[in-house]
Amino acid sequence: MFFNSLAFAVFLPIVFFLYWFVFNKTKSSQNALLIVASYYFYSCWDWRFLFLLVFSTFLDYYTGIQIEKGKTERIRKFWFWLSILVNLGFLGIFKYYNFFAASFTELLNSVGIQASPILLNVILPVGISFYTFHGLSYVIDIYYKRIKAEYNFVDYSLFVSYFPLLVAGPIERATHLLPQVKVKREFNFEMAKEGIYQIIWGLVKKVVIADTCATYANAIFDNYTSMNTFSLILGAIYFAFQIYGDFSGYSDIALGVSKLFGLDLLRNFNYPYFSRDIAEFWRRWHISLSSWFRDYLYIPLGGSKGGIWMKIRNTFIIFVVSGFWHGANWTYLVWGFINAVYFLPLLLSNSNRNNIDSFRLKYNFDSVKVIMSILYTFSLTCIAWVFFRSRTITDAVLYLKRIITNRDISLQYLSNERYNYELLLMIGLFVLVEWNNRNKIEPISGKRSMLKLTLAIAAIMVFGTFSDYKEFIYFQF
């Protein structure tokens, strides 16, 4: 069930009505309804994988209690590592087994040892990377005594399976969401209104920006050998806006839907394409994942407190693992490696925390420097996105090589529904709107909010008619 589908447009009002008018007596009844709705929502993808979600929920619930009750460190460690290994084991089997099996076979064949891989004929359970990380953070926090174990199974189940964040995040923390599900929610009109506005803006990002950009990005990447320099540059830009509109659009819808039920989720995007360096970009892009790896991998490895080689090691580990989290393909590993290379000079020069403030431009030289820094950072990001989007590393290298060697900067026509000129104008308008909102939390707010809302709905209705790309990109992760 997609957020941008008719089925969800029917599902959401029904759950909303039942939540506030039928099951609104107690916190327990509210939570029970949301769990049933969440399991139904997940079963719409593939009911056979419900057992994985239920098993993962029960495993972390039970091991969390055993870790807290453990009278010796040995007992606590046993339950801690049991949860970690089983969770990562399921993730590894479903998401990475075929990749490692095929890669190992290729390695053997390359040295003259003939072998055939034994592959699993299974599909990737949707959302497994997200709800696995929910449970892992919960267990890790209990082990290090940052939080207490949750003894109410219904409350914990909702934390793991809450449908707005179940299949594509944001990756929630028990410290943030669990306290909210443990109390009865009262209807808040202003919060619900903000939620509706955020849902609509998320749909604009998905239906108007991401799906339209996908038309051209796919055409260019699939036929890059016949494209000229300018078209290839546009292809990289189109994909940059496709993945941003797609994933941040999903996050906006998830946050907006959750506000309708009186629950606040973690912000996942903060206008990342206006970042002034790559470190700032990673503080603004997929915030819940970046902070997860920072807190549960980078800092435990020593962070940036050790010597220079430890800083370098930890930087590359966190970025490469982040890349691998996105998918079982060498292109994702290279994408992570490239971002580590981008980040390293900032870390070694202790300037990775320089741009942590919001900014307002003035008519002076400093503002020109800011604009140039933003454009430079966006360009670096687009280069890395080429590897993320390409099927193989070879395709990505040849794509970038052709940009340099072709040297034709004419605007090619693509035989699609729309012309390049229209899409460039649309992206330009979208950037202006984002720029105007860059220091705001709510995308549709302030003066003339109703006008903005009306225009957003009109854009969704017009472009939704032509949209063929229904699935969100991050469902595959």
Side-chain angles (χ1 to χ4, degrees):
M1 187 188 303
F2 301 118
F3 279 168
N4 53 328
S5 67
L6 179 60
F8 188 76
V10 174
F11 167 82
L12 182 59
I14 292 175
V15 178
F16 179 85
F17 175 82
L18 293 175
Y19 183 82
W20 289 118
F21 296 100
V22 180
F23 294 84
N24 62 330
K25 302 299 182 183
T26 65
K27 173 268 294 187
S28 297
S29 61
Q30 289 179 325
N31 290 352
L33 172 68
L34 288 180
I35 290 174
V36 172
S38 298
Y39 283 172
Y40 173 77
F41 178 82
Y42 193 76
S43 68
C44 289
W45 304 100
D46 194 325
W47 64 268
R48 294 171 297 176
F49 289 121
L50 269 176
F51 87 91
L52 275 178
L53 176 60
V54 174
F55 178 81
S56 177
T57 301
F58 180 79
L59 171 72
D60 296 327
Y61 169 78
Y62 184 76
T63 55
I65 292 174
Q66 296 306 312
I67 291 169
E68 184 173 86
K69 287 183 174 180
K71 295 181 179 179
T72 66
E73 185 62 21
R74 183 177 180 180
I75 294 175
R76 297 179 75 251
K77 277 189 175 181
F78 169 78
W79 291 108
F80 172 74
W81 284 109
L82 176 66
S83 177
I84 298 295
L85 293 176
V86 173
N87 273 301
L88 293 181
F90 274 116
L91 188 61
I93 290 171
F94 282 99
K95 191 168 183 177
Y96 301 108
Y97 172 80
N98 286 350
F99 169 76
F100 281 116
S103 298
F104 184 67
T105 301
E106 290 179 8
L107 177 63
L108 292 178
N109 292 338
S110 68
V111 296
I113 302 175
Q114 296 301 313
S116 299
I118 301 175
L119 303 178
L120 299 177
N121 186 25
V122 295
I123 61 174
L124 179 67
V126 66
I128 187 172
S129 297
F130 291 93
Y131 66 73
T132 296
F133 272 38
H134 290 154
L136 285 175
S137 65
Y138 169 76
V139 170
I140 294 171
D141 284 345
I142 292 175
Y143 179 76
Y144 286 104
K145 300 181 179 179
R146 297 167 186 155
I147 61 172
K148 296 289 186 179
E150 177 54 58
Y151 284 77
N152 187 312
F153 184 69
V154 173
D155 291 352
Y156 178 74
S157 297
L158 180 58
F159 160 69
V160 176
S161 63
Y162 185 41
F163 75 89
L165 55 79
L166 180 58
V167 295
I171 301 172
E172 272 291 343
R173 306 289 184 90
T175 52
H176 181 253
L177 185 55
L178 262 177
Q180 297 183 68
V181 304
K182 290 184 68 62
V183 297
K184 183 179 180 295
R185 276 78 68 189
E186 300 293 340
F187 183 74
N188 184 315
F189 177 78
E190 287 302 319
M191 188 176 186
K193 185 176 73 171
E194 291 174 2
I196 293 173
Y197 286 4
Q198 198 158 8
I199 291 170
I200 291 172
W201 185 241
L203 287 172
V204 168
K205 287 182 175 180
K206 168 59 179 170
V207 175
V208 180
I209 300 302
D211 290 352
T212 308
C213 285
T215 302
Y216 291 95
N218 291 344
I220 293 171
F221 273 88
D222 291 344
N223 302 281
Y224 72 90
T225 55
S226 62
M227 294 291 168
N228 63 23
T229 294
F230 190 56
S231 296
L232 293 174
I233 292 173
L234 287 179
I237 294 173
Y238 291 157
F239 179 71
F241 281 96
Q242 178 195 349
I243 194 169
Y244 171 66
D246 192 285
F247 192 26
S248 71
Y250 180 95
S251 294
D252 280 337
I253 298 170
L255 269 66
V257 168
S258 191
K259 286 179 180 179
L260 295 179
F261 299 103
L263 295 170
D264 179 55
L265 300 182
L266 293 170
R267 189 179 189 183
N268 217 15
F269 289 86
N270 184 19
Y271 307 102
Y273 288 155
F274 298 138
S275 301
R276 291 155 288 181
D277 58 46
I278 209 67
E280 184 183 12
F281 174 82
W282 282 107
R283 288 191 295 272
R284 293 172 173 266
W285 177 275
H286 203 341
I287 300 168
S288 63
L289 180 66
S290 300
S291 61
W292 198 100
F293 279 118
R294 179 198 65 205
D295 295 341
Y296 298 110
L297 183 61
Y298 184 71
I299 292 177
L301 287 171
S304 56
K305 293 181 179 179
I308 185 168
W309 290 114
M310 180 180 286
K311 290 182 180 180
I312 294 173
R313 182 201 68 181
N314 294 346
T315 296
F316 277 89
I317 286 175
I318 191 173
F319 276 106
V320 171
V321 171
S322 176
F324 200 43
W325 177 89
H326 282 86
N329 194 318
W330 290 107
T331 54
Y332 297 119
L333 288 170
V334 172
W335 172 76
F337 183 87
I338 291 172
N339 277 282
V341 172
Y342 290 163
F343 186 85
L344 197 59
L346 299 172
L347 180 68
L348 296 180
S349 62
N350 293 318
S351 55
N352 56 302
R353 302 289 296 177
N354 280 359
N355 295 314
I356 60 175
D357 60 317
S358 59
F359 58 89
R360 298 183 183 278
L361 297 187
K362 300 178 181 178
Y363 295 102
N364 56 33
F365 182 70
D366 288 338
S367 295
V368 175
K369 288 170 58 179
V370 168
I371 294 296
M372 296 304 296
S373 297
I374 291 172
L375 293 175
Y376 175 69
T377 303
F378 178 71
S379 299
L380 291 179
T381 304
C382 286
I383 293 172
W385 282 139
V386 170
F387 286 87
F388 193 96
R389 170 59 178 79
S390 298
R391 293 188 179 90
T392 67
I393 296 174
T394 300
D395 285 331
V397 171
L398 292 177
Y399 188 106
L400 294 173
K401 181 181 178 181
R402 187 165 175 81
I403 289 178
I404 299 172
T405 58
N406 183 267
R407 299 176 184 177
D408 183 353
I409 58 172
S410 61
L411 185 62
Q412 289 178 284
Y413 169 73
L414 297 173
S415 55
N416 297 98
E417 295 174 353
R418 302 179 180 89
Y419 293 90
N420 268 319
Y421 296 105
E422 294 178 3
L423 181 54
L424 289 173
L425 176 61
M426 183 192 304
I427 291 174
L429 292 173
F430 176 70
V431 170
L432 289 176
V433 173
E434 289 273 285
W435 180 261
N436 183 62
N437 291 336
R438 68 187 184 280
N439 293 317
K440 300 177 182 177
I441 296 178
E442 302 300 332
I444 300 178
S445 60
K447 297 179 179 178
R448 295 185 291 276
S449 59
M450 288 306 298
L451 175 61
K452 298 175 186 176
L453 186 66
T454 302
L455 293 174
I457 293 174
I460 293 169
M461 293 178 66
V462 171
F463 286 89
T465 304
F466 301 101
S467 177
D468 295 324
Y469 300 92
K470 298 298 183 184
E471 185 170 327
F472 288 84
I473 290 175
Y474 266 67
F475 285 175
Q476 63 187 291
F477 307 133

